[in-house]
Amino acid sequence: MLIIVTAIAVQPAELTLEGNRLLVSGVLDGSAVETFLEQLRRGNVQTVVFENSLGGTAEVAGLYARVIRETGVSTEVIGQCHAACAYAFLAGKVHRFGEGEQVNALLIPVGTRPKPAELASRWRGEEVHKTLAEFTAAAQDEVNPADAATPKEKWRPEHGVLFMATPTLFGRIYNTYYCDGTQGRDLTRCELLSDADPRKLGVITE
């Protein structure tokens, strides 16, 4: 049974350093990019933890993802990680869901419902970068020349492939769903995808 994810207030990105773990919460809107880059390039961070980050822009997602790849850190999700956050998360050397009693969910935007073969390869290696580039290019194409200085948000809310880990008495249950966006926040209306365990698909590597 799919659990409805509780709505989380949207707030600008906030960074908190806890030992060798850098906690990132809020929207990846660019407000904390410089601080993020500085923290990772110091070499003290081993894991970037995204906690309840509900999106951001494709451009900022690319910046986060690039420095995560360059520094070879791991990534982790606690709670919700949507759109821009999801692409930054996938750039980690090892990307995993956090432990605990919360539902962990990764929502990766897609243009159309992915086919089974596409599911098996879309979020591995260079394919991740290609998918992000598609969203970045599409966002730029939609900008009116008279309004070129203002980037357009391309991610569609609640639309994409949703990877979830739900805690139970017998351990975590992993499922994958396709959400076409018409369901809004009622994720019980998303379509369950068969044979799409996020661990087998490489979305979760540990």
Side-chain angles (χ1 to χ4, degrees):
M1 179 178 180
L2 180 58
I3 296 176
I4 300 176
V5 177
T6 304
I8 299 168
V10 175
Q11 61 182 18
E14 293 184 1
L15 306 182
T16 305
L17 185 62
E18 298 178 351
N20 59 16
R21 292 162 62 85
L22 181 62
L23 182 65
V24 180
S25 60
V27 175
L28 305 187
D29 59 355
S31 59
V33 168
E34 290 303 320
T35 304
F36 183 80
L37 297 179
E38 290 174 6
Q39 291 284 5
L40 264 65
R41 286 174 176 162
R42 286 177 184 169
N44 298 323
V45 175
Q46 293 182 6
T47 304
V48 174
V49 182
F50 294 101
E51 181 174 17
N52 296 328
S53 179
L54 299 183
T57 68
E59 179 183 9
V60 174
L63 292 173
Y64 271 69
R66 185 178 67 196
V67 71
I68 286 172
R69 284 194 301 271
E70 288 175 355
T71 54
V73 299
S74 298
T75 52
E76 183 177 316
V77 164
I78 297 176
Q80 308 301 306
C81 178
H82 295 189
C85 172
Y87 281 111
F89 165 77
L90 289 171
K93 183 177 182 180
V94 173
H95 28 96
R96 56 179 174 263
F97 279 161
E99 299 297 326
E101 298 182 356
Q102 77 285 336
V103 174
N104 295 324
L106 185 75
L107 180 66
I108 302 179
V110 294
T112 58
R113 185 186 186 283
K115 298 177 181 178
E118 187 179 20
L119 268 175
S121 62
R122 184 163 188 165
W123 298 293
R124 295 178 186 268
E126 289 300 318
E127 292 302 315
V128 176
H129 315 325
K130 290 179 182 178
T131 304
L132 176 60
E134 290 172 5
F135 276 86
T136 306
Q140 292 173 345
D141 291 344
E142 290 182 4
V143 174
N144 186 309
D147 193 32
T150 306
K152 292 292 183 71
E153 178 58 70
K154 181 60 181 174
W155 319 119
R156 289 173 52 194
E158 285 85 39
H159 177 227
V161 178
L162 179 69
F163 299 96
M164 293 186 69
T166 306
T168 70
L169 293 175
F170 308 101
R172 285 187 170 270
I173 296 177
Y174 294 84
N175 283 308
T176 300
Y177 303 84
Y178 172 65
C179 305
D180 64 7
T182 61
Q183 80 290 328
R185 295 187 183 278
D186 183 5
L187 301 180
T188 60
R189 294 169 56 194
C190 295
E191 175 192 358
L192 176 65
L193 299 179
S194 61
D195 194 26
D197 186 309
R199 296 165 299 182
K200 295 180 179 178
L201 299 179
V203 173
I204 302 299
T205 59
E206 184 177 280

